[in-house]
Amino acid sequence: METSLCRACANFCRVRVTVEDGRLMKVAGDPTDPVYKGFSCIRGISQPVFYNHPDRLLTSMARQPDGSYAPIPVAQALDEIAERLAAVRGRHGSRAIASYWGMMAVNNGATIPFAEAFMRALGSPMSFNASAIDKPGRAIAQAMLGTWQAPRTVYNDPDALLLVGINPLTSFQGVPMGNPPRWYRNRLAAGMQLIVIDPRQSDTARRATLHLQNRPGTDAAILAAFIRIILEEELFDGAFVEENISGLAALRAAVQPFEAHRSAAFAGVPVDDLTAAARIFASAPRGGAVAGTGPSLSGTSTLVEYLILVLDTLCGNYLRAGDRVGDPGVLLPERQAVAQASPPRPSHDFGERMRATGFAASAIGMPTGVLADEMLLEGEGQVRALISCAGNPANAWPDHGKAVAALGSLDLLVQIDPWMSDTARLADYVIAPKLAYETPTSTVRREQAARYAFPSNAYTEPFAQYFPALLSPPDGADLIEEWEAYLGLARRLGLALEITGGDGRSVHFGPGDAPTSDDLLTLFSLGSRVPLVEVKRHMAGAYFHGDPLHVQEKEAGWTGRLDVGNEDIMADLVEVARDIVRPQDRSTPQYPFRLLCRRIMPTFNSSYHDASTLRGRSHNPAYMHPGDMAALSITPGQLVELESRRGRVRAIAEADAHLRPGTISISHGFGRLGADDDPKAGFNINRLLGADGVIERYSGQPLMSNVPLMVRAVPEA
């Protein structure tokens, strides 16, 4: 039995792994781990199923003239792909080649750096990622507001926690990395006030001190009402606001229409609960707020994320001069913390502009939600080739029909995938990668995620460990790591890749270089507070506290301020206020229900769908409130037809009393090409979603939740 780092999701649990005769037999939480204390979810403990699954690809595949697939040596596949990429580039230019990485790429620390470096070396700006259709607003809003140069207090034993459209007990976002159930039990027992805004009484909401079960899409109105209450009752941190923020007058004016009674009626929540929630949050000595994909997919990602940052800023929920920083870093350079604000930076509408929609890049990257249009719109600059890695765009992108048509129209589609996923079944080549326990890793990836990639996660203490590869690929397998595919293509195209080390310096990998995974772990840890070689001496892992790190005083003459009155966001609030001030009939007789996205524990977005992890269930239920089901004479397990303005699907209805009436909750990521008419095989919710309706104006993210629906029972045959 060995210890290792689970990479089935971004919580990165430390686990005990049992290997027998070269096969992964068991994965379980490590009870000796001081951070996770034995925690591991079903995604982690089910990994042996996937490693030993008969459908796992052990060699790369190439599409044949008749549409079937045949094994191909990976070296030959890369030779042919490079030749075809060169041809596309020669005919249409570098812009015609795009890349996309999905959320599973975050779990291999080298994948994203090499994917981005390959596109830069190729000279193409068309590098896209899943974050732009998952939760783009956080990065954009942060750029609009500016950044406090010390950590937030939300992960340092908060007295109040505000969660908006997020369920950390399923997603593991919004709490310190570790053991989420234990963390909540401990903090609530210590007196933490938990406020949840969510149309569904989620696992987390059921533990809340106060749950505002609002109408979908009204989060911004509630948050604006919070801000008005805090400003009018002077519950904000006056000294912090005076010294460190700008835009207060514009903010006061913008939230003026969001009077508590009016906003509560609009959101469908008790006004006493709304005002109590605002006062609890503002009065807490230490607190913080975190939003999830709920409001993000509802088309208000940047607005909601900005208002959350404004709440934290008004209440001064940041570490101050003299406060101790819990995690100064171990395998990254020591975190520098100063009690001062970096001013706003460019947030959106820069870089390459999309021909079809006019959208450009933002702080989260290129607008993935409109990439299909760039593939389908003919003319100069049309995307003709795509390299997709660690994601499943045919399954994950909105407007399923358009996404499949776009992917199928390409001159070249390359999918890096351990399975014949929907996207793989459209691809010209499928590169089969190694899985996590077949590669070495270290906790540098956890530090990177906490510090850079996932601002809604953090560590509270400096713990680090190195993990060697525990498995060799199965006998006869021909596998490479994901990053090796990009390096192999670069080598064949005569390109050098520039990779940034942990200390910020660039290292070039030319056609003759052949780094190992351990070389890259060393590269990503350059300049670290504790050398990787020292961490390797502690094979069971260890805390590396060293001298305590405290937040430093503001630099003399520093003038940076956080902007709580961003002009674009204030204009957005004016638009929301129109519905508040002059309420209109929100009902849509043809589509009286609202679709709510939801996560389920056994899956990670569009990955890991297997009956063994889904507890024997292969379908994707349409959860409804029992009262709504009774009104429509629908019984649990009955077949129903769901219809939106975009499409129609059939699903199996199930009851969920924790839903707000009038909503239907369904998980993204299910469905297989050609099987969407079989509700027992799951269905792709993106058949109900368009990519040209309500679009988030900063990121190009289409509306993927709060979508109007109708539902009717299907008569039994």
Side-chain angles (χ1 to χ4, degrees):
M1 183 180 299
E2 304 284 349
T3 62
S4 192
L5 189 72
C6 179
R7 282 153 278 175
C9 81
N11 198 43
F12 300 122
C13 300
R14 195 171 82 166
V15 290
R16 287 181 171 177
V17 177
T18 302
V19 177
E20 295 179 3
D21 298 325
R23 286 170 57 89
L24 182 64
M25 303 304 295
K26 183 178 180 181
V27 176
D30 183 357
T32 69
D33 180 77
V35 178
Y36 293 88
K37 299 179 176 64
F39 179 77
S40 182
C41 74
I42 189 171
R43 291 184 289 244
I45 64 177
S46 299
Q47 288 303 294
V49 173
F50 299 101
Y51 279 71
N52 303 314
H53 202 289
D55 292 340
R56 180 189 173 187
L57 293 179
L58 299 180
T59 183
S60 296
M61 307 292 284
R63 179 186 288 273
Q64 304 302 298
D66 64 357
S68 64
Y69 287 86
I72 182 174
V74 67
Q76 180 184 341
L78 294 178
D79 288 341
E80 294 180 10
I81 293 167
E83 183 177 351
R84 293 179 64 172
L85 284 174
V88 170
R89 190 184 188 194
R91 287 195 304 268
H92 306 291
S94 296
R95 191 192 190 277
I97 302 172
S99 76
Y100 169 82
W101 52 261
M103 294 309 293
M104 290 307 295
V106 304
N107 300 329
N108 185 323
T111 299
I112 297 173
F114 273 82
E116 300 290 345
F118 177 75
M119 296 303 290
R120 289 194 301 270
L122 201 61
S124 173
M126 306 297 281
S127 182
F128 297 80
N129 65 76
S131 296
I133 54 169
D134 181 76
K135 197 168 177 288
R138 176 68 196 212
I140 300 171
Q142 191 74 72
M144 290 174 163
L145 181 96
T147 305
W148 187 249
Q149 295 179 22
R152 296 192 299 156
T153 60
V154 64
Y155 302 113
N156 293 70
D157 298 334
D159 300 297
L161 178 61
L162 170 63
L163 301 177
V164 184
I166 188 171
N167 182 16
L169 293 177
T170 296
S171 68
F172 309 139
Q173 302 288 301
V175 294
M177 287 185 179
N179 188 321
R182 184 187 294 261
W183 187 85
Y184 272 103
R185 285 197 301 270
N186 291 344
R187 290 310 310 147
L188 290 170
M192 180 183 77
Q193 302 291 297
L194 176 61
I195 304 162
V196 176
I197 302 174
D198 198 321
R200 185 168 72 94
Q201 193 180 39
S202 65
D203 299 340
T204 308
R206 291 196 286 277
R207 292 164 169 77
T209 309
L210 192 55
H211 175 207
L212 302 182
Q213 194 167 11
N214 60 317
R215 291 192 181 101
T218 61
D219 309 282
I222 294 174
L223 296 173
F226 281 9
I227 292 170
R228 174 176 162 161
I229 291 168
I230 290 169
L231 291 176
E232 285 192 342
E233 298 183 9
E234 297 188 352
L235 300 175
F236 56 90
D237 187 327
F240 182 83
V241 166
E242 182 177 357
E243 183 178 354
N244 297 293
I245 79 165
S246 62
L248 187 60
L251 178 67
R252 284 186 185 275
V255 300
Q256 195 58 34
F258 294 90
E259 188 272 333
H261 285 84
R262 191 182 289 152
S263 298
F266 177 73
V269 299
V271 64
D272 289 345
D273 288 352
L274 186 151
T275 54
R279 291 165 181 158
I280 290 170
F281 181 78
S283 301
R286 301 166 70 90
V290 181
T293 55
S296 176
L297 300 184
S298 298
T300 56
S301 183
T302 303
L303 175 59
V304 168
E305 293 286 357
Y306 185 87
L307 295 178
I308 281 178
L309 290 173
V310 167
L311 280 170
D312 270 336
T313 301
L314 290 176
C315 297
N317 289 329
Y318 304 103
L319 296 187
R320 311 294 179 81
D323 286 344
R324 176 180 172 271
V325 177
D327 181 15
V330 179
L331 289 170
L332 290 180
E334 184 171 85
R335 178 193 294 269
Q336 298 300 307
V338 186
Q340 62 190 29
S342 294
R345 59 187 186 279
S347 58
H348 66 287
D349 200 33
F350 53 77
E352 187 71 17
R353 192 167 297 281
M354 302 295 97
R355 303 170 306 132
T357 60
F359 281 99
S362 69
I364 199 63
M366 296 290 279
T368 301
V370 299
L371 176 52
D373 296 289
E374 291 299 301
M375 298 175 179
L376 294 172
L377 180 63
E378 297 181 358
E380 184 178 353
Q382 182 181 10
V383 171
R384 302 307 312 143
L386 176 71
I387 302 174
S388 168
C389 178
N392 188 5
N395 188 285
W397 290 357
D399 198 332
H400 178 69
K402 179 189 285 188
V404 170
L407 293 168
S409 73
L410 296 170
D411 295 340
L412 175 65
L413 174 58
V414 179
Q415 174 74 358
I416 305 174
D417 203 323
W419 317 98
M420 288 301 294
S421 63
D422 280 2
T423 307
R425 293 165 65 199
L426 296 170
D428 298 287
Y429 297 90
V430 185
I431 303 299
K434 295 179 181 179
L435 296 182
Y437 296 124
E438 296 162 350
T439 66
T441 192
S442 74
T443 48
V444 69
R445 186 68 197 109
R446 301 198 301 191
E447 292 188 47
Q448 290 170 334
R451 191 176 297 190
Y452 306 122
F454 293 94
S456 57
N457 288 63
Y459 283 100
T460 56
E461 298 292 337
F463 185 85
Q465 189 172 0
Y466 166 82
F467 305 93
L470 298 181
L471 294 168
S472 296
D475 291 342
D478 183 18
L479 307 175
I480 59 175
E481 290 195 52
E482 294 162 347
W483 63 267
E484 291 181 286
Y486 296 101
L487 183 60
L489 290 174
R491 182 182 298 123
R492 289 162 171 81
L493 292 169
L495 304 175
L497 301 187
E498 181 180 338
I499 306 296
T500 303
D503 58 358
R505 290 181 295 175
S506 295
V507 175
H508 289 80
F509 293 101
D513 293 321
T516 66
S517 298
D518 274 305
D519 292 335
L520 298 180
L521 291 175
T522 299
L523 171 63
F524 297 140
S525 298
L526 288 178
S528 59
R529 187 172 67 86
V530 179
L532 179 59
V533 66
E534 174 62 23
V535 172
K536 286 183 176 182
R537 294 193 182 103
H538 301 266
M539 290 306 294
Y543 283 109
F544 296 88
H545 284 103
D547 295 332
L549 176 68
H550 293 91
V551 180
Q552 301 299 303
E553 296 281 355
K554 179 188 292 190
E555 299 173 20
W558 186 266
T559 60
R561 286 176 173 264
L562 302 173
D563 181 13
V564 298
N566 177 272
E567 184 177 349
D568 288 327
I569 295 295
M570 299 304 103
D572 290 344
L573 283 174
V574 170
E575 292 296 319
V576 177
R578 289 197 177 106
D579 288 337
I580 300 288
V581 176
R582 295 188 294 276
Q584 299 177 359
D585 185 4
R586 293 171 51 86
S587 65
T588 306
Q590 186 179 357
Y591 303 104
F593 290 89
R594 288 295 182 272
L595 168 69
L596 297 180
C597 61
R598 75 188 288 157
R599 293 183 189 269
I600 56 176
M601 179 69 79
T603 71
F604 185 74
N605 297 338
S606 58
S607 301
Y608 296 145
H609 291 177
D610 189 87
S612 60
T613 59
L614 293 170
R615 297 180 174 89
R617 190 193 71 217
S618 60
H619 67 284
N620 186 19
Y623 291 100
M624 301 179 63
H625 190 276
D628 291 333
M629 296 179 72
L632 295 172
S633 300
I634 295 172
T635 57
Q638 185 173 355
L639 191 65
V640 296
E641 188 169 71
L642 306 174
E643 182 181 320
S644 71
R645 294 185 178 93
R646 173 60 58 177
R648 183 182 302 166
V649 297
R650 288 189 171 188
I652 297 172
E654 297 291 352
D656 184 352
H658 300 301
L659 284 171
R660 182 184 173 97
T663 63
I664 300 176
S665 182
I666 306 172
S667 176
H668 284 277
F670 280 80
R672 293 299 303 271
L673 287 175
D676 285 296
D677 292 331
D678 180 6
K680 292 182 180 179
F683 70 94
N684 194 320
I685 194 175
N686 292 332
R687 286 179 175 265
L688 300 173
L689 309 180
D692 54 1
V694 179
I695 295 180
E696 215 262 359
R697 69 183 182 119
Y698 305 104
S699 65
Q701 180 188 35
L703 190 69
M704 298 174 68
S705 190
N706 190 28
V707 175
L709 287 184
M710 66 86 63
V711 58
R712 53 177 168 263
V714 175
E716 294 185 10

